[in-house]
Amino acid sequence: AVVDFLPAPSTQAASGVVALAFKVQFDGQRGMLVFVRVFGGEGIRRGTTLLNVSRGSRERVQRVMQVRGGLL
């Protein structure tokens, strides 16, 4: 199974939020959209500063939207 190769990140962070960005998409009206899964912590709100570990920089959240799938 996939979880054997990509286990969930540890939720025992010192502080803040533990999340994984799994998709980045550009929208003509909204700009860059980053889809994340939150595993633990206090959550993500507008103005929250997150660490981008791939770049080693901090980024500020501009807008938060909740995506919900349809019923099958």
Side-chain angles (χ1 to χ4, degrees), residues 22-23 25-38 44-47 61-69:
F22 62 90
K23 181 177 183 178
Q25 180 177 338
F26 184 79
D27 181 73
Q29 294 179 345
R30 292 190 174 103
M32 186 177 298
L33 302 175
V34 180
F35 294 82
V36 298
R37 177 175 176 197
V38 177
I44 298 174
R45 296 179 192 86
R46 182 179 183 195
V61 176
Q62 299 294 322
R63 179 180 292 174
V64 178
M65 296 181 286
Q66 185 173 10
V67 179
R68 296 178 182 240

